[in-house]
Amino acid sequence: MPRFELHHVGIVVPDLEKAIHFYENAFGMHVLSREADTDVNPHALGIAADDVRLRGAILEAGGAHLELHEYLTPTGQASRNVYELGIGHIAFAVEDIHTAFAYLQSLGVRFNTQPQLIIEGVLAGRWWVYGTDPWGNVFELGQSPRQPAA
């Protein structure tokens, strides 16, 4: 079998500049590269349209890459529920979920609940919480249990 590595996760946003600003300020990501307004073969993307034009950026934090695309044509307005097929959320690991939660709330980020602690099972001791970016993309903050010093 060939070796595969996850390269990036891509999300669609209605305003690339605002999205870059949000992800830089909220999660400390930084821009690795930008894609200028580009015409793309709609069939290669599986889009039933005559023309596709988009712009994008690749952001990085902690070695992980997030690709943001703003479609200029066609444009979409529909959002989806986290339980629908496809990407349900993107996750950010944090050292202190309560500090990260408070910081993001101070920026106006909305969360579904307060951070939740998993009590039982293989994930016992893990804290997590779901929130949304300004465009409805769901993200998770997760704090793994602290390991005792060796």
Side-chain angles (χ1 to χ4, degrees):
M1 170 187 281
R3 182 172 178 260
F4 293 91
E5 291 182 2
L6 182 62
H7 182 265
H8 69 271
V9 173
I11 60 174
V12 175
V13 296
D15 186 312
L16 182 63
E17 296 308 315
K18 287 181 181 176
I20 289 170
H21 180 76
F22 173 77
Y23 280 95
E24 285 177 331
N25 289 324
F27 298 107
M29 301 189 90
H30 65 274
V31 175
L32 288 180
S33 64
R34 286 179 171 263
E35 181 179 10
D37 294 7
T38 304
D39 293 313
V40 181
N41 177 342
H43 303 292
L45 296 173
I47 297 173
D50 293 329
D51 299 301
V52 172
R53 189 165 182 79
L54 57 80
R55 61 176 63 120
I58 301 280
L59 284 69
E60 187 271 339
H65 296 154
L66 178 65
E67 182 175 36
L68 302 175
H69 273 148
E70 175 187 350
Y71 280 81
L72 305 170
T73 58
T75 59
Q77 300 301 319
S79 61
R80 47 185 296 288
N81 294 304
V82 71
Y83 57 82
E84 293 181 37
L85 298 179
I87 295 173
H89 68 278
I90 57 174
F92 294 92
V94 296
E95 290 183 8
D96 182 333
I97 197 166
H98 299 288
T99 299
F101 180 83
Y103 170 73
L104 291 173
Q105 277 192 316
S106 77
L107 297 178
V109 172
R110 296 177 57 171
F111 289 91
N112 297 346
T113 63
Q114 296 287 316
Q116 305 290 301
L117 176 62
I118 300 172
I119 305 291
E120 300 177 33
V122 297
L123 297 177
R126 177 177 169 75
W127 285 90
W128 65 278
V129 65
Y130 275 14
T132 55
D133 73 9
W135 306 279
N137 296 300
V138 177
F139 67 85
E140 174 187 351
L141 298 180
Q143 177 185 322
S144 294
R146 289 187 172 81
Q147 300 298 320

